[in-house]
Amino acid sequence: MGKSFDIGLILDFIPKLLGYVHVTFLILAGAILIGIVIGFLVALPRLYRIPVLAQIAAVYVSFIRGTPILIQLFLIYYGLPELLKLVSIDISQWSSMFFVIVTYGLSIGGLFSEVIRAAVTSVERGQTEAAYSIGMSPFVAFIRIVLPQSFAIALPNLANLIIAYMKDTSLAFSIGVMDMTGRGQTLGTTTSHFLEVYISLAVIYYLVCILLESIFSRMEKRVSRYERKFG
C-alpha cells in the first residue's frame, strides 16, 4: 500500500520526470529514421509485385501487426545477441538503448510500409502515365509526381502511428532504459507515492501528445495547401 495521496507531490515529481523526456524523444527520433528506411524497403516490393520479396515483406508486416511491441522488444533484446553469436559477433554488452531503438524502428517500419503503400496506390495512375509521356523516367515521376501527393495523403496516418509509438516508448524501462517511466518507477519505490507519480507521467505524456498533434496539424495544412488551391 502507498502513502496517503499528496497532490503537492505532483508538482514536485513533474520537473524530475521531465529531466528524462529527452530519452523518449531520442528513442522516437531514432526509431522514425530507421522506420522510414524500412518502410520504403518493405513497401516497394509489394507495390511493384517483386516475386519472393513481396511475399517476405507481407509476412514481415503480418508479424509486426500481429505481435505486441513488448514481445518484439524482448525478442530483439534477448534474441538478437544470441543470433549474432552464430557469426561470432558479440553485442550482448551493448546499451539497452540500442535494442530499444532497433525494435521500435523495425516495428514502425512494418506499419509505415502499409501507410506508404496505401498512399502511393491512391494516386491516380493516369498522372504517372502522363509523366512518362513527356519523357520523365519512372524515378523522376515518382519523386516529382507521386511522392508529394502520397505524402500528403499518408501524413495523418503517419502522425497517428508516431504518437502511438511515442506513448509505447514507456515500455523501454522493462529492459533497463531509464526513461520517464523508469524514473517514475524509482520515484514511486523510494517515496511510496505511486499514484502521484503516475498522474505526473500521465500529464507529461498528454502534453507531449498535444505538442505532437499541433506540429502534425501544421504540417498537414502545409503539405495539403495544393488541394485548397486547386480543389
Side-chain angles (χ1 to χ4, degrees), residues 161-183:
L161 280 177
I162 290 171
I163 290 172
Y165 274 94
M166 186 281 297
K167 292 181 288 185
D168 284 343
T169 59
S170 60
L171 297 173
F173 86 96
S174 62
I175 62 169
V177 173
M178 185 57 71
D179 66 339
M180 288 191 297
T181 304
R183 177 56 176 157

Side-chain angles (χ1 to χ4, degrees), residues 46-225:
R46 301 186 71 187
L47 283 168
Y48 293 99
R49 297 181 176 85
I50 300 174
V52 182
L53 290 180
Q55 285 72 33
I56 294 174
V59 171
Y60 172 71
V61 172
S62 178
F63 177 81
I64 294 297
R65 296 175 68 178
T67 55
I69 184 66
L70 185 61
I71 299 302
Q72 296 169 20
L73 184 59
F74 288 153
L75 285 174
I76 294 295
Y77 183 65
Y78 294 109
L80 186 59
E82 295 299 320
L83 187 64
L84 291 179
K85 282 180 182 178
L86 298 176
V87 290
S88 302
I89 298 176
D90 185 10
I91 63 171
S92 59
Q93 301 303 314
W94 287 21
S95 169
S96 297
M97 180 68 77
F98 166 79
F99 296 100
V100 170
I101 292 175
V102 168
T103 301
Y104 280 78
L106 291 170
S107 188
I108 289 177
L111 299 183
F112 269 12
S113 71
E114 288 295 273
V115 175
I116 293 168
R117 191 166 66 95
V120 169
T121 55
S122 67
V123 177
E124 293 182 13
R125 177 66 182 172
Q127 296 188 43
T128 55
E129 291 175 350
Y132 298 156
S133 69
I134 61 173
M136 283 189 184
S137 67
F139 178 77
V140 173
F142 180 81
I143 295 297
R144 298 188 61 181
I145 305 297
V146 177
L147 189 59
Q149 295 183 70
S150 58
F151 179 71
I153 295 168
L155 187 55
N157 288 327
L158 293 176
N160 289 335
L161 280 177
I162 290 171
I163 290 172
Y165 274 94
M166 186 281 297
K167 292 181 288 185
D168 284 343
T169 59
S170 60
L171 297 173
F173 86 96
S174 62
I175 62 169
V177 173
M178 185 57 71
D179 66 339
M180 288 191 297
T181 304
R183 177 56 176 157
Q185 288 292 107
T186 60
L187 281 174
T189 301
T190 55
T191 64
S192 297
H193 284 275
F194 284 97
L195 180 57
E196 293 87 339
V197 167
Y198 292 132
I199 291 174
S200 302
L201 285 170
V203 169
I204 294 172
Y205 277 110
Y206 180 59
L207 292 177
V208 172
C209 283
I210 291 176
L211 174 62
L212 291 176
E213 287 174 359
S214 176
I215 292 171
F216 285 122
S217 178
R218 291 176 180 272
M219 289 177 63
E220 287 175 33
K221 291 178 181 178
R222 186 172 182 84
V223 300
S224 63
R225 65 185 184 273

Side-chain angles (χ1 to χ4, degrees), residues 24-44:
T24 295
F25 284 116
L26 177 61
I27 294 171
L28 188 63
I32 290 172
L33 290 176
I34 295 173
I36 289 172
V37 174
I38 292 176
F40 275 101
L41 291 177
V42 174
L44 290 176

